[in-house]
Amino acid sequence: MVTVRDLHKSYGNNEVLKGISLAVLEGEVVVMIGPSGSGKSTFLRSLNQLEATDSGQIVINGWDLEDPKNNINKTRETIGMVFQHFNLFPHLTVLENMILAPVELHKKTKAEATSTAMALLERVGLADKANVKPGTLSGGQKQRVAIARALEMNPKIMLFDEPTSALDPEMVGDVLGVMKDLAAEGMTMIVVTHEMGFAKQVADRVVFFADGLIQEIGTPEAVFDRPQNERTKDFLDKVL
Ligand code: ADP
Ligand code: MG
């Protein structure tokens, strides 16, 4: 589903990605952990070209992002992204937020988009909130709407960048629950998170990212119980 080869990216003199290679299979859940500032967000943003990279190859769902014939907007439609902050439009209702992209991009009629949106809101437990403004929702509810909205375009892969980091602790479980359901339904997912419990329970593979490099990658058991790399051990000692 995703193949990344030797990806490099600098901001000025600051080399943030120093040669990242990663292959993610269809249906796989890859959880990325690692210290702040190590390049995890830059990597995720590179995957849908929210960030231009300097060198290396990214192929997503058969689309080579470097190919000039490739239509980046088409590729982006197959990638759902959920950020720490929800980016919902405050002046629109939950339902209007959800149907905006597919209707504006002429992917669906308003009726079709509304019917998918209602089914997705049902799935994240928020069907009764369709007609309220985001401002009246809790952080966890907003994030569940953001996930539902990302699913509206029927993505092939979902990228999550610390989706629960800005939430009050009591909201985290509901959002992780929605993500677990998605994983169980076979969605291909790359998740940056500090939720080690989620990583252990849901990840097919865990990536430890530090200093712009993948330092270690393996099953949750391998990375958490038998880390090989000193950096991984140090990090896990601090967070577990
Ligand atoms: P992480 O998500 O692991 O915390 P980031 O990818 O956000 O790491 O950041 C990696 C490094 O890149 C940091 O040193 C950060 O300061 C730098 N960086 C991120 N975005 C920008 C930007 N738009 N301009 C300049 N430097 C940036
Ligand atoms: Mg980040």
Side-chain angles (χ1 to χ4, degrees):
M1 185 60 71
V2 179
T3 307
V4 177
R5 286 194 199 93
D6 201 23
L7 195 67
H8 288 259
K9 162 82 184 172
S10 297
Y11 293 110
N13 294 329
N14 182 12
E15 191 176 24
V16 175
L17 302 179
K18 299 178 182 169
I20 305 293
S21 297
L22 177 70
V24 180
L25 303 175
E26 186 168 0
E28 204 178 15
V29 178
V30 172
V31 172
M32 305 187 88
I33 61 173
S36 140
S38 58
K40 304 180 300 296
S41 294
T42 304
F43 175 72
L44 279 195
R45 288 200 307 267
S46 307
L47 290 183
N48 62 357
Q49 290 200 344
L50 288 174
E51 205 73 72
T53 52
D54 301 330
S55 65
Q57 193 186 24
I58 303 175
V59 182
I60 294 187
N61 193 28
W63 299 87
D64 185 339
L65 298 198
E66 298 232 299
D67 184 344
K69 293 196 295 291
N70 178 28
N71 178 340
I72 181 61
N73 291 323
K74 277 252 178 308
T75 312
R76 280 205 189 113
E77 282 164 22
T78 70
I79 307 173
M81 185 140 187
V82 176
F83 302 90
Q84 188 171 341
H85 298 286
F86 332 104
N87 309 320
L88 298 172
F89 293 107
H91 59 290
L92 300 179
T93 66
V94 163
L95 182 63
E96 286 163 350
N97 264 282
M98 294 202 45
I99 67 173
L100 185 68
V103 172
E104 294 278 309
L105 296 169
H106 304 291
K107 295 292 157 190
K108 291 177 185 172
T109 65
K110 197 170 171 189
E112 286 165 347
T114 301
S115 129
T116 336
M118 288 310 299
L120 287 167
L121 285 174
E122 188 79 49
R123 214 162 125 187
V124 301
L126 293 172
D128 58 332
K129 301 293 186 188
N131 296 314
V132 308
K133 300 275 171 69
T136 67
L137 302 178
S138 72
Q141 290 172 329
K142 283 181 203 163
Q143 193 59 301
R144 279 144 66 199
V145 171
I147 295 172
R149 183 180 58 174
L151 291 169
E152 171 87 37
M153 295 291 276
N154 199 22
K156 295 271 190 270
I157 175 164
M158 288 284 285
L159 309 177
F160 292 88
D161 194 356
E162 299 198 29
T164 61
S165 294
L167 301 180
D168 291 335
E170 72 270 24
M171 313 278 173
V172 169
D174 286 342
V175 172
L176 293 179
V178 167
M179 292 165 64
K180 279 178 203 168
D181 291 346
L182 257 186
E185 288 159 22
M187 178 62 77
T188 308
M189 295 167 46
I190 304 179
V191 182
V192 173
T193 187
H194 298 296
E195 294 292 331
M196 299 299 150
F198 177 85
K200 285 184 184 174
Q201 208 186 331
V202 183
D204 294 300
R205 284 186 299 157
V206 173
V207 170
F208 175 65
F209 207 98
D211 298 332
L213 283 169
I214 290 177
Q215 307 280 349
E216 186 152 354
I217 180 164
T219 62
E221 295 73 25
V223 173
F224 287 112
D225 302 337
R226 301 182 298 279
Q228 303 297 308
N229 178 305
E230 289 303 321
R231 295 291 315 267
T232 320
K233 286 180 198 168
D234 268 3
F235 179 78
L236 292 176
D237 279 346
K238 287 184 191 127
V239 298
L240 289 180

